[in-house]
Amino acid sequence: MAQKNRTRFAILGMLAFQPMSGYDIKKIVDNSIAYFWKENYGHIYPMLAELSREGLIKLQGRDRKKETKGGPERKVYAITEQGKKAVKEWLYQPHAAENSRIELLLKLFFGMLVPMEISIAAIERERDAAINILKELKSIRKQAHAGEQNETSLFPLITLSYGEKHYKAVIEWCEETIAFLKKTTKGMKK
Amino acid sequence: MAQKNRTRFAILGMLAFQPMSGYDIKKIVDNSIAYFWKENYGHIYPMLAELSREGLIKLQGRDRKKETKGGPERKVYAITEQGKKAVKEWLYQPHAAENSRIELLLKLFFGMLVPMEISIAAIERERDAAINILKELKSIRKQAHAGEQNETSLFPLITLSYGEKHYKAVIEWCEETIAFLKKTTKGMKK
DNA sequence: AGGAGTATATATCAGACTGATATATTAATG
DNA sequence: CATTAATATATCAGTCTGATATATACTCCT
């Protein structure tokens, strides 16, 4: 196997919190962990079918939320005992190193091919994006603190603090780098 | 198009420094930018063929390095004027947000499913890995400072400082989080 | 009443990316 | 001269992404 499928475990883990539809899973991922994990419908729906075939989850029923505005019935899936066992097994295993690809840095690495202003502008956009994400994290933290505190709510808080630390570091680096490049450019123009 | 192919531009950018073989490109990527970008042979070789067909690079010749120990002849590719134009165009364009997936955080998010020691051990492994990468970055910085300073060498230094800042932040977060979780566990055991 | 607009929901696909493996060449080693 | 190790190219199954297609049912407006 070239890679292990992690969407599988992301879905199982989410269903361990509560039964949900594919649409719900996407919503929750987008609203609570998007700063470190993303999922696509293109992966979620086929995986729900697969997990269902394997007996790790099962279709609990079809319904329509009361607070919902419209749309077709939701297919709500629940995790099975077998499914819970599978996530736990995965949680026990150490994971491989991430293979991040940071396009900004790749572009900066080739910065000698374009005028300095282009590189600086790219870093400024990165800084602004990071500031926005940090704002979102602030609102997630607010929600988290408003809810009840228990053992389960502990873990979302530590992933949150990772996000905060990361984006603060990114912003810092952007500021420093912009200043550095501007100084260098001025020096070169003489 | 679902995504844009970035391997294409990574290869073109590398060939803008100097003519190289696919094997060389992989080596350079692994040794100088692996902390923010990775490439596979599985992507490099087909892309070299494609870029060659499109006239963005051309086969400069086959040779064997003097300092090399053995192996078959290298196919050395050089970037063409058209290829240079293509990278530059790409460099001018703003890039989309990254979609990082941090498996450690996903596992921690589901931490309530396993004993606390399992989560703590995972963070400890992350911290150790980050410490090792930081060491590698230190050696890259040493090499960089040893070489001649010019406009081109400027950019690798700023990507390097991103890496340093990032991994330092990760280590900090790991230390704080481990301490926090240990304290919490002790409190719970009473 | 009916049409437009919008949120909900499931599904599929081309193309990008990964990690492993297969194949072959040549130098150095013993 | 067989073995080992480094060099080099190539291919493939499986994962992941982003876009798009299809359809349902509610709300709002005229």
Side-chain angles (χ1 to χ4, degrees), chain A residues 83-99:
Chain A
K84 249 182 217 162
K85 212 181 124 199
V87 212
K88 281 183 197 171
E89 242 168 61
W90 171 71
L91 287 171
Y92 272 88
Q93 279 164 33
H95 55 272
E98 304 298 334
N99 34 4

Side-chain angles (χ1 to χ4, degrees), chain B residues 101-128:
Chain B
R101 287 184 124 188
I102 307 182
E103 192 167 333
L104 171 68
L105 296 191
L106 187 65
K107 284 185 164 170
L108 289 179
F109 195 78
F110 300 142
M112 73 289 177
L113 297 171
V114 288
M116 187 67 91
E117 303 82 57
I118 300 301
S119 297
I120 292 176
I123 303 173
E124 284 170 343
R125 280 193 299 274
E126 187 81 2
R127 177 200 56 198
D128 295 345

Side-chain angles (χ1 to χ4, degrees), chain B:
Chain B
M1 211 194 319
Q3 271 169 89
K4 44 181 118 177
N5 187 320
R6 293 126 98 215
T7 293
R8 159 180 293 262
F9 298 107
I11 290 176
L12 286 174
M14 284 301 173
L15 291 182
F17 284 113
Q18 57 181 303
M20 282 186 274
S21 69
Y23 195 79
D24 289 337
I25 291 172
K26 171 77 166 130
K27 268 275 171 66
I28 290 199
V29 167
D30 284 349
N31 293 332
S32 65
I33 63 173
Y35 60 98
F36 69 82
W37 200 269
K38 292 192 179 68
E39 288 295 346
N40 300 294
Y41 290 130
H43 220 169
I44 292 173
Y45 286 112
M47 184 52 67
L48 284 172
E50 193 177 318
L51 290 170
S52 197
R53 271 197 307 278
E54 293 174 11
L56 302 188
I57 63 174
K58 67 167 194 288
L59 184 61
Q60 198 188 45
R62 290 156 187 272
D63 69 359
R64 195 171 295 120
K65 278 191 191 164
K66 292 146 223 158
E67 69 275 23
T68 219
K69 283 205 182 166
E73 289 197 316
R74 302 154 65 244
K75 286 165 80 171
V76 179
Y77 292 91
I79 194 166
T80 63
E81 275 311 309
Q82 209 187 330
K84 250 183 216 163
K85 212 180 125 200
V87 213
K88 282 185 196 170
E89 243 167 60
W90 171 72
L91 287 172
Y92 272 89
Q93 279 164 33
H95 55 271
E98 304 297 335
N99 33 5
S100 65
R101 287 184 124 188
I102 307 182
E103 192 167 333
L104 171 68
L105 296 191
L106 187 65
K107 284 185 164 170
L108 289 179
F109 195 78
F110 300 142
M112 73 289 177
L113 297 171
V114 288
M116 187 67 91
E117 303 82 57
I118 300 301
S119 297
I120 292 176
I123 303 173
E124 284 170 343
R125 280 193 299 274
E126 187 81 2
R127 177 200 56 198
D128 295 345
I131 288 173
N132 279 332
I133 296 176
L134 211 47
K135 257 183 221 159
E136 280 171 42
L137 295 187
K138 201 170 273 178
S139 103
I140 292 179
R141 184 172 279 284
K142 219 168 151 188
Q143 282 170 46
H145 284 181
E148 62 165 327
Q149 308 296 309
N150 56 34
E151 220 187 313
T152 298
S153 66
L154 192 70
F155 293 99
L157 282 179
I158 70 176
T159 61
L160 193 57
S161 75
Y162 181 104
E164 289 164 344
K165 198 140 208 153
H166 169 72
Y167 286 105
K168 275 180 197 161
V170 168
I171 292 168
E172 239 180 75
W173 172 85
C174 287
E175 299 288 12
E176 288 173 14
T177 306
I178 291 167
F180 173 67
L181 290 181
K182 279 188 177 165
K183 203 180 64 190
T184 306
T185 312
K186 214 190 274 170
M188 271 160 33
K189 281 182 184 162
K190 215 177 313 97

Side-chain angles (χ1 to χ4, degrees), chain A residues 92-118:
Chain A
Y92 272 88
Q93 279 164 33
H95 55 272
E98 304 298 334
N99 34 4
S100 65
R101 287 183 123 189
I102 307 180
E103 192 167 333
L104 171 68
L105 297 191
L106 187 66
K107 284 186 165 169
L108 289 179
F109 195 78
F110 300 141
M112 73 288 178
L113 297 170
V114 289
M116 187 69 91
E117 302 84 55
I118 300 301

Side-chain angles (χ1 to χ4, degrees), chain A residues 2-3 21-23 27 42 45 68 70-72 74-75 99 101:
Chain A
Q3 272 171 90
S21 69
Y23 196 79
K27 269 276 172 64
Y45 287 112
T68 218
R74 301 154 65 245
K75 286 165 79 172
N99 34 4
R101 287 183 123 189

